[in-house]
Amino acid sequence: MFLTDTHCHLDFDVFQSDFKDVVQRCKAAGLHHIIDPGIDIKSCRAAIRLAEAHPGFLFAAVGIHPNDAQGWNENTLPALREMAAHPRVVAIGEIGLDYYRDRVARPVQHARLREQLTLAAEAGKPVILHSRDANGDIYPILKNWCADLKKTGSPLAERPGVMHSFDGAYVEAARFTALGFKIGIGGPVTYANAKERQALAAALPLKDLLLETDAPFLTPVPRRGQRNEPAYVQYVAQKIAELKHTAIEAVAEAAFQNSIRLFGIGEL
């Protein structure tokens, strides 16, 4: 059984002191590959360095998080374009909209998102999307982008990306999966009060699912209260299996195949 963590931040300082141990625990838990998305230029470069040091196991994504969009300048897009061409970079992300923190003016967030969607289309790489309290606004942007991908005959139209840590109901998720997006499910699905996320996981077809941790954040039960790490994705997979009344192996295999196809991991 192969597990995958399609969204974690191993480049963060909190992992520096025991990084080797974290990686060993990942492999012991059965993880086949991990994707580390950047949130700003510095973390994008750090994610690439980690991917270079762990070929075939760690992969990077590059992008500017909406909460970091205020730091965008004339050098940002050229830097992202250069990094996006790196062979260990499999996606553009973490990008999107965040109305919960609301640290950056919404028109600025929208502009940065559109620029990075254009970059993704140019690079031919899927997007890892952050959408917090913003699904209503991000959907039409993505719908138009996907329509443009189809018009231009881009292969990306068949694998546009993933809605990371999706926090909406199934009926809302279905609008995104209809566009071709996968739905990322992480630690919160294990929380006792997360009834909507659990209902989503139960209803979501396995073909639309990706597993993730968002480590070091959103630690699943029974590790809640500790620093999260990719090895704990096993608890996410187990909870989804329980909710779907199926075996954890079925969940892990579906998520593994979805990740391989979306990010082109098998081609690297």
Side-chain angles (χ1 to χ4, degrees):
M1 178 180 76
F2 286 137
L3 287 167
T4 54
D5 185 356
T6 59
H7 196 116
C8 68
H9 300 282
L10 286 179
D11 62 284
F12 282 15
D13 290 346
V14 69
F15 290 112
Q16 282 191 356
S17 64
D18 64 341
F19 182 83
K20 290 183 179 179
D21 292 336
V22 170
V23 170
Q24 287 178 350
R25 287 193 290 271
C26 291
K27 294 182 176 181
L31 270 82
H32 179 273
H33 61 267
I34 296 169
I35 298 173
D36 186 332
I39 60 171
D40 56 25
I41 294 298
K42 180 181 178 181
S43 68
C44 289
R45 288 176 174 149
I48 290 173
R49 287 195 297 271
L50 290 180
E52 289 174 334
H54 299 272
F57 181 63
L58 282 177
F59 299 89
V62 297
I64 305 301
H65 191 286
N67 290 334
D68 293 280
Q70 201 65 56
W72 188 284
N73 58 44
E74 68 275 9
N75 299 316
T76 303
L77 190 57
L80 289 174
R81 183 174 289 114
E82 180 181 359
M83 289 187 286
H86 193 286
R88 310 311 300 172
V89 170
V90 296
I92 305 301
E94 178 177 354
I95 65 175
L97 302 176
D98 193 316
Y99 292 175
Y100 178 77
R101 300 290 181 191
D102 231 6
R103 294 175 181 168
V104 177
R106 295 182 183 184
V108 174
Q109 292 189 44
H110 283 227
R112 301 294 86 88
L113 171 59
R114 287 190 171 95
E115 287 178 271
Q116 293 180 93
L117 289 172
T118 298
L119 172 62
E122 292 172 358
K125 294 184 177 180
V127 290
I128 297 174
L129 290 155
H130 173 107
S131 178
R132 194 164 186 192
D133 292 350
N135 289 340
D137 277 3
I138 204 170
Y139 175 77
I141 294 173
L142 297 178
K143 183 179 180 181
N144 290 337
W145 180 63
C146 288
D148 288 341
L149 292 175
K150 289 181 179 179
K151 285 179 185 177
T152 60
S154 171
L156 206 57
E158 302 301 319
R159 54 181 194 99
V162 54
M163 302 300 296
H164 152 61
S165 193
F166 192 78
D167 63 357
Y170 173 71
V171 66
E172 194 172 15
R175 299 175 74 204
F176 293 98
T177 59
L179 295 178
F181 288 94
K182 302 303 181 188
I183 303 297
I185 297 181
V189 75
T190 69
Y191 302 166
N193 62 350
K195 300 304 181 185
E196 188 171 67
R197 290 183 191 253
Q198 292 171 2
L200 165 64
L204 189 71
L206 286 176
K207 68 180 179 63
D208 296 323
L209 166 75
L210 288 182
L211 296 172
E212 58 179 51
T213 62
D214 204 17
F217 313 110
L218 304 178
T219 311
V221 173
R223 301 283 186 163
R224 197 172 184 186
Q226 304 173 24
R227 179 197 66 184
N228 201 3
E229 58 183 65
Y232 299 165
V233 77
Q234 62 187 297
Y235 303 119
V236 177
Q238 183 60 59
K239 183 63 178 182
I240 294 171
E242 292 172 6
L243 293 166
K244 298 183 83 64
H245 305 290
T246 191
I248 186 174
E249 290 82 3
V251 173
E253 175 63 16
F256 169 72
Q257 294 296 340
N258 293 341
S259 177
I260 291 290
R261 287 190 292 268
L262 176 59
F263 298 110
I265 300 286
E267 302 167 7
L268 300 174

